[in-house]
Amino acid sequence: MTKVGLVMRKIQFTEAQGPRIFAERLQALSAELGVEVVFISPQRHVSGYDWIPGYEHEKGDLVNYDIVLEQIESHKIEHVIYTVSGFTYLKMFLKNSVLFPHSFPDPALTGYEMMKPFYQMVDKAIVQTEFLKREMSRNFGVEDISVIPIGFNEELANKYYDPSLVVDNRILWIGRDEENRRPDLVIDYARNNPDKEVFMVFGGERYRSTMKKYNIPSNVKLQFALTQDEVFKLMNSAKVYWSSSKFDTFAMPLTESLAMGKIVVKPEHPCYDHISANHSFSGNEKNWFELVNMAAALPLKTSTGNRDYAFDAFSSTVMKEGYRKFFSEWLKD
C-alpha cells in the first residue's frame, strides 16, 4: 500500500473538530483507495492556547524540519500533504509535497502577514472551496490546485436526521473561543433573546477555562469536545445553525448543518459562497440577530432543499471521488 504523510501540528491532532476530523476522514477513505495516510507531527514546545508568550506558533515550524523529516524518512514516505504553510520548505526535500491549508492569509485572521511569505512558495495545493482556489491563484500565482470538499459523514447524517425532534427555539453555534469566531456576539444574542435556547459547542476541552471570562446567560448551554455522534444528534435537535466567523477555510459544521436540514445563518464573506442553498441566509453583525430570529420563526422544521444540496455537493462520497482522481495522478510520480 502506498504511503502518504499528513503533516499537522500536534495540537490539531488533539481537538475533537476541524483538522482532526479531516485527518481521520482522509485516512479512512484513503485506505479504501489503497493509500495509507501516516500522521506526522513535530513534538515541539507548543501551548494549548493561542499566542501565549514563550511558546511557538507559525514561525516555529521552521525549527522543526529535522523532526518531521526524520519521521518521513523512517516511514519511507515520498508523498506528503502538509496543512500548515510553515512547512512549505518540505518541497526542497520532497518534490511530491502539497499544501492543504487549514488557514489562509486573509486580513480577518490573526497572523496573516506571517503566512504570506510561505504562500508565495506554494506550487501545488488542495483546497476545500472554489473561493480558496481563486484567491490562491489571484494572490500567490498558484495554478496547480485541486478542489476537494471535506465530506460530511453520510452515515451519521442519515442516522440522526429526524425532523420530529427539532426544538423550534434552539440555536446551534460551533466554533472556538477566538476573536475571529466571535463567540461574544453569540452570548450577546442570547442575552437579548431570553426566549431562545443557544447551544455553543467548542472542539477542545481547553476552551472550558477560556470561556470563564464571559458572563454567560442562563439560556446558553456550553458543550466541549463532543464526539461526531454527539454533534450530529445535537445538530438534529436545533432549528437554526448560525456561523458568526469572520473567515473560514474549512467551514465543516456549515456543510454538516446543511446535510441535517438546518436553517443556516452565515457571514456574507465570499469564503462562504459555497454554502448556497434554499434556506441559507447571509448577513453580518448588524443584522445577524434579526436573521437568526427570522430563521427560527420559519414555518418548517427542516429544509429538504438544504439537505439535498449538501448530499450532492459535500458528502463523503464526493470527497472520496475527489481523492481517487487526485491520487491517481499525484502518486504516479
Side-chain angles (χ1 to χ4, degrees):
M1 186 179 285
T2 303
K3 289 185 178 181
V4 169
L6 178 64
V7 181
M8 290 183 10
R9 287 204 177 97
K10 182 168 62 174
I11 196 171
Q12 292 175 321
F13 282 120
T14 62
E15 290 201 332
Q17 64 184 38
R20 175 74 195 193
I21 293 171
F22 158 71
E24 292 178 344
R25 200 161 295 163
L26 177 63
Q27 189 177 57
L29 73 84
S30 295
E32 295 174 14
L33 297 171
V35 176
E36 180 185 354
V37 171
V38 179
F39 295 165
I40 296 172
S41 177
Q43 299 299 306
R44 69 173 191 268
H45 183 61
V46 293
S47 164
Y49 303 91
D50 287 332
W51 301 102
I52 292 183
Y55 290 84
E56 295 178 17
H57 199 64
E58 189 94 25
K59 62 186 178 184
D61 296 322
L62 294 175
V63 299
N64 286 279
Y65 272 70
D66 56 340
I67 300 171
V68 169
L69 287 169
E70 283 175 9
Q71 293 180 60
I72 291 171
E73 186 176 334
S74 70
H75 288 283
K76 295 181 168 51
I77 290 170
E78 297 180 352
H79 295 76
V80 167
I81 298 171
Y82 62 99
T83 66
V84 182
S85 60
F87 283 108
T88 303
Y89 288 112
L90 281 174
K91 71 178 183 180
M92 294 171 58
F93 308 94
L94 295 160
K95 70 171 184 174
N96 294 309
S97 57
V98 57
L99 171 67
F100 189 118
H102 285 188
S103 192
F104 189 79
D106 185 273
L109 296 178
T110 305
Y112 83 101
E113 288 286 357
M114 191 185 296
M115 287 186 257
K116 282 182 178 179
F118 298 111
Y119 271 81
Q120 289 163 1
M121 293 181 284
V122 174
D123 56 8
K124 186 177 183 65
I126 306 167
V127 295
Q128 156 90 329
T129 63
E130 290 290 343
F131 167 81
L132 287 170
K133 180 178 180 177
R134 291 194 305 270
E135 289 300 289
M136 288 188 71
S137 174
R138 183 171 68 89
N139 291 306
F140 303 104
V142 186
E143 299 301 332
D144 187 355
I145 302 176
S146 301
V147 180
I148 308 175
I150 302 173
F152 61 85
N153 189 314
E154 294 164 85
E155 182 180 341
L156 295 182
N158 285 317
K159 177 181 178 181
Y160 290 106
Y161 181 68
D162 185 350
S164 70
L165 298 179
V166 171
V167 179
D168 287 331
N169 70 333
R170 182 170 294 178
I171 315 299
L172 176 62
W173 177 96
I174 298 176
R176 301 183 176 96
D177 179 27
E178 296 171 359
E179 194 275 335
N180 170 55
R181 304 295 178 179
R182 300 307 307 271
D184 57 306
L185 278 178
V186 184
I187 293 168
D188 192 34
Y189 167 82
R191 188 174 293 113
N192 285 278
N193 294 271
D195 61 314
K196 299 297 190 296
E197 184 183 45
V198 181
F199 275 82
M200 299 181 72
V201 177
F202 299 86
E205 284 289 343
R206 61 190 174 127
Y207 299 112
R208 194 181 294 275
S209 59
T210 67
M211 288 302 291
K212 291 178 181 178
K213 67 177 175 284
Y214 298 102
N215 179 18
I216 309 291
S218 60
N219 59 326
V220 170
K221 315 296 182 185
L222 301 179
Q223 303 282 304
F224 302 93
L226 299 183
T227 65
Q228 278 281 280
D229 280 84
E230 290 169 333
V231 167
F232 275 86
K233 186 176 181 180
L234 176 59
M235 190 174 278
N236 180 72
S237 72
K239 173 74 172 285
V240 179
Y241 180 78
W242 175 21
S243 170
S244 58
S245 297
K246 293 180 182 178
F247 184 93
D248 216 314
T249 314
F250 274 19
M252 285 172 60
L254 274 168
T255 58
E256 291 168 346
S257 66
L258 288 178
M260 294 301 288
K262 301 301 97 181
I263 315 301
V264 170
V265 176
K266 66 187 179 81
E268 57 193 2
H269 192 288
C271 73
Y272 300 98
D273 283 352
H274 61 296
I275 308 297
S276 178
N278 295 17
H279 297 99
S280 59
F281 304 103
S282 302
N284 54 58
E285 58 186 276
K286 294 180 180 178
N287 67 356
W288 265 331
F289 291 9
E290 287 72 20
L291 280 177
V292 172
N293 286 337
M294 178 195 73
L298 286 175
L300 70 165
K301 291 287 187 181
T302 62
S303 170
T304 55
N306 284 11
R307 186 166 163 83
D308 291 344
Y309 172 68
F311 271 82
D312 287 342
F314 308 117
S315 66
S316 54
T317 299
V318 175
M319 180 181 180
K320 182 177 179 180
E321 177 60 18
Y323 276 98
R324 186 192 65 77
K325 291 180 180 178
F326 177 78
F327 286 148
S328 68
E329 291 297 319
W330 188 46
L331 297 178
K332 285 179 182 177
D333 298 331

